[in-house]
Amino acid sequence: METKISLSGQDARWMGEALREARRAAARGEVPVGAVIVREGRAVARGGNKPIRSGDPTAHAEIVAIRAAARKTGNYRLTGCEIYVTVEPCAMCLGAILQARLGRLVYGAADPKAGAVKSIIRFPIRKTNHKLDVRGGVGEEESAAVLRDFFRARRKNGPARKSEPV
């Protein structure tokens, strides 16, 4: 069940870390989305968007962080972990979060064009085998501002890299 909470305590700390990853992605010319995976109060892995740089359409921040966490822990199941991400996950990323068995998802800004938690798809999380605790709206204003600033600059200056048609 998704609820909106304010930025405070540990959620504030880890969302701040995810925002740093988002800003790093923006500096590379990627859409500024960042993620941090935490277990028992410690960061296990971090990730920022990198599909342009890597040439991999699945290299969203959540996927990058999940892959790094699985390598670091030596297990594809990330039980006992939570993920902080600056933007509501898309269907692919939400599916990966569920498959990795993350226990908690905390996200910042809603994604009205691709969000799969509440925006466009509203994936039926409660009907899956794995139960996921979801908190939305944590650091929402700052997460949205990072995206707005990035796209405002992109419209003004053009994309950092143009992809070639396949």
Side-chain angles (χ1 to χ4, degrees):
M1 175 169 227
E2 190 266 334
T3 58
K4 185 175 176 177
I5 61 176
S6 63
L7 193 59
S8 64
Q10 289 300 305
D11 285 346
R13 173 186 177 196
W14 296 116
M15 188 57 71
E17 293 291 319
L19 282 160
R20 276 192 263 296
E21 293 300 320
R23 289 184 185 100
R24 287 182 184 128
R28 295 189 304 266
E30 301 279 0
V31 174
V33 179
V36 177
I37 295 178
V38 176
R39 177 183 279 159
E40 297 176 357
R42 293 190 175 153
V44 174
R46 302 162 189 276
N49 265 2
K50 62 178 190 176
I52 297 169
R53 174 177 264 188
S54 67
D56 178 358
T58 69
H60 291 195
E62 300 95 323
I63 303 294
V64 171
I66 288 169
R67 288 175 178 161
R71 279 191 305 273
K72 186 171 183 177
T73 64
N75 195 335
Y76 71 104
R77 296 282 193 229
L78 300 173
T79 55
C81 292
E82 50 195 351
I83 186 167
Y84 291 81
V85 62
T86 57
V87 177
E88 177 184 5
C90 69
M92 174 185 69
C93 292
L94 183 58
I97 288 166
L98 291 167
Q99 290 298 316
R101 302 297 194 261
L102 287 155
R104 185 170 183 241
L105 162 64
V106 179
Y107 69 88
D111 185 347
K113 293 184 179 180
V117 176
K118 73 171 191 171
S119 292
I120 64 162
I121 295 175
R122 296 181 188 220
F123 190 88
I125 295 169
R126 285 184 243 154
K127 293 184 178 183
T128 63
N129 266 349
H130 175 65
K131 301 305 174 208
L132 178 66
D133 179 30
V134 178
R135 301 282 184 260
V138 176
E140 179 176 24
E141 291 175 20
E142 191 170 357
S143 295
V146 169
L147 284 165
R148 261 193 320 272
D149 294 347
F150 174 81
F151 285 112
R152 186 176 296 132
R154 186 177 246 189
R155 283 189 297 276
K156 181 178 178 184
N157 303 322
R161 296 181 188 175
K162 294 185 184 219
S163 59
E164 295 294 321
V166 178

